[in-house]
Amino acid sequence: MTKSDPPPTTSYTPPPPFSNTTTPLIPIYQGAEAHLYKTTFLTPSTPAALKIRPSKPYRHPILDRRLTRARILQEARCLHKLVKEGVSVPAVLGLDWEFSASPEGNGAGGSWLVMEWVEGPVARVVLERWERHIKTLGRNHGSQSQDVPGDEGEKVRGLMRKIGAAVGSLHKAGVIHGDLTTSNLILRPFSPGASTESRDEDEQVSPSMEGEIVMIDFGLASQSVQDEDRAVDLYVLERAFGSSHPRTEPFFEEVLVGYRESYKGAGPALKRLEDVRMRGRKRSMIG
Ligand SMILES: Nc1ncnc2c1ncn2[C@@H]1O[C@H](COP(=O)(O)OP(=O)(O)O)[C@@H](O)[C@H]1O
Ligand SMILES: [Mg+2]
């Protein structure tokens, strides 16, 4: 899914607990695998994120049922374990691994998971704003230089360290994320409503990087304490930074600093990362 993809159409009929009109469903995101809605759960003042995995009509029904069920359960198990361990991820509020199409016939069925709503922008949005801001600064000063002013560098370093520490806390708990990108990290502001939309859109203003990193999207997560798995997780994140946020590349080392400080087993995983990088380079040379 790219950010230009249209939001889900409203013709979609949500699964039973969400199909009554008193539970508002605000479309947030539509990807190849999942649809995300903002809604409420149990009480009208409890904001929640509803993740629906629609069944895939082109897949064999039995295989499809098994796959969607396995993925939603895996996601829920990991989230549950992480919440218990005190890692900052949204708590699971409920799920159904197999809902059927509505009697009206539209909506194909599938599985859904409802979790705590995490306030705040994803790291991708914050970093894209920051990169635009740095570009604007450069233009205003009439320079073509790629230089990042010291205070802006410090700010982004702080965010990178927080990201590294979050990944470390995850690995410490024995979970591998499997899809670490800046779209799967939310920066939850310390005080709700701290950043207003209009301010955020202003390229003259450097985006706030205050807050706590909350990791989301555990659909590809697994449980492992192997250095190799941890290193690959970090490598995926490193590649994601390199391709999505080229201007932050000089600061990526700071993610690893935050990671190293976050738990005892970090050292061997970081050592392994060097091997994983080497393999990655070889592979990109070959094909
Ligand atoms: N708990 C949540 N709170 C707030 N927003 C969320 C939550 N979970 C997901 N989102 C938003 O929905 C998007 C897609 O969710 P995600 O779980 O990453 O689905 P996918 O597996 O399709 O990538 C995220 O990038 C984020 O913007
Ligand atoms: Mg995602």
Side-chain angles (χ1 to χ4, degrees), residues 9-58:
T9 52
T10 43
S11 62
Y12 181 77
T13 304
F18 304 95
S19 49
N20 63 48
T21 48
T22 55
T23 316
L25 278 187
I26 306 163
I28 298 293
Y29 166 95
Q30 181 167 34
E33 300 283 329
H35 302 180
L36 231 298
Y37 298 86
K38 184 176 185 181
T39 183
T40 57
F41 199 63
L42 298 179
T43 80
S45 58
T46 312
L50 171 66
K51 186 169 184 173
I52 299 177
R53 287 183 186 283
S55 59
K56 303 222 183 246
Y58 54 81

Side-chain angles (χ1 to χ4, degrees), residues 29 179 183-184 217:
Y29 166 95
D179 188 20
S183 299
N184 289 334
D217 195 358

Side-chain angles (χ1 to χ4, degrees), residues 28-240:
I28 298 293
Y29 166 95
Q30 181 167 34
E33 300 283 329
H35 302 180
L36 231 298
Y37 298 86
K38 184 176 185 181
T39 183
T40 57
F41 199 63
L42 298 179
T43 80
S45 58
T46 312
L50 171 66
K51 186 169 184 173
I52 299 177
R53 287 183 186 283
S55 59
K56 303 222 183 246
Y58 54 81
R59 244 174 0 209
H60 187 280
I62 295 174
L63 175 67
D64 182 67
R65 221 175 292 147
R66 257 193 225 153
L67 282 176
T68 35
R69 181 189 139 132
R71 286 195 62 186
I72 213 109
L73 287 179
Q74 181 65 3
E75 183 158 13
R77 272 192 206 108
C78 286
L79 287 173
H80 178 71
K81 177 182 165 119
L82 291 167
V83 167
K84 255 191 351 205
E85 304 268 339
V87 180
S88 64
V89 299
V92 177
L93 304 174
L95 66 82
D96 183 352
W97 63 68
E98 193 179 0
F99 71 89
S100 317
S102 67
E104 299 88 65
N106 56 349
S111 58
W112 59 261
L113 178 125
V114 66
M115 63 194 132
E116 201 184 319
W117 178 258
V118 181
E119 215 43 75
V122 294
R124 177 177 57 74
V125 167
V126 177
L127 290 169
E128 282 171 356
R129 274 183 201 147
W130 182 80
E131 289 188 306
R132 280 200 301 275
H133 175 65
I134 296 299
K135 235 187 254 170
T136 311
L137 281 184
R139 260 201 314 272
N140 290 352
H141 292 90
S143 74
Q144 288 301 304
S145 116
Q146 297 291 303
D147 281 357
V148 174
D151 51 339
E152 288 300 326
E154 264 322 297
K155 211 168 135 180
V156 88
R157 267 195 204 98
L159 179 67
M160 298 295 236
R161 259 196 312 273
K162 275 194 277 201
I163 292 175
V167 177
S169 68
L170 181 72
H171 287 181
K172 184 184 180 188
V175 174
I176 303 299
H177 187 282
D179 188 20
L180 281 176
T181 65
T182 52
S183 299
N184 289 334
L185 303 167
I186 295 181
L187 180 63
R188 174 161 59 195
F190 290 131
S191 48
S195 62
T196 62
E197 270 307 308
S198 60
R199 229 179 86 97
D200 290 346
E201 287 308 317
D202 187 350
E203 283 160 22
Q204 307 293 333
V205 180
S206 179
S208 168
M209 294 190 186
E210 292 291 308
E212 179 196 13
I213 292 292
V214 182
M215 292 165 287
I216 56 163
D217 195 358
F218 287 79
L220 294 173
S222 55
Q223 306 204 20
S224 162
V225 291
Q226 302 289 315
D227 292 329
E228 170 73 15
D229 297 330
R230 290 171 168 172
V232 170
D233 228 15
L234 290 169
Y235 184 65
V236 168
L237 183 64
E238 183 172 48
R239 295 298 294 258

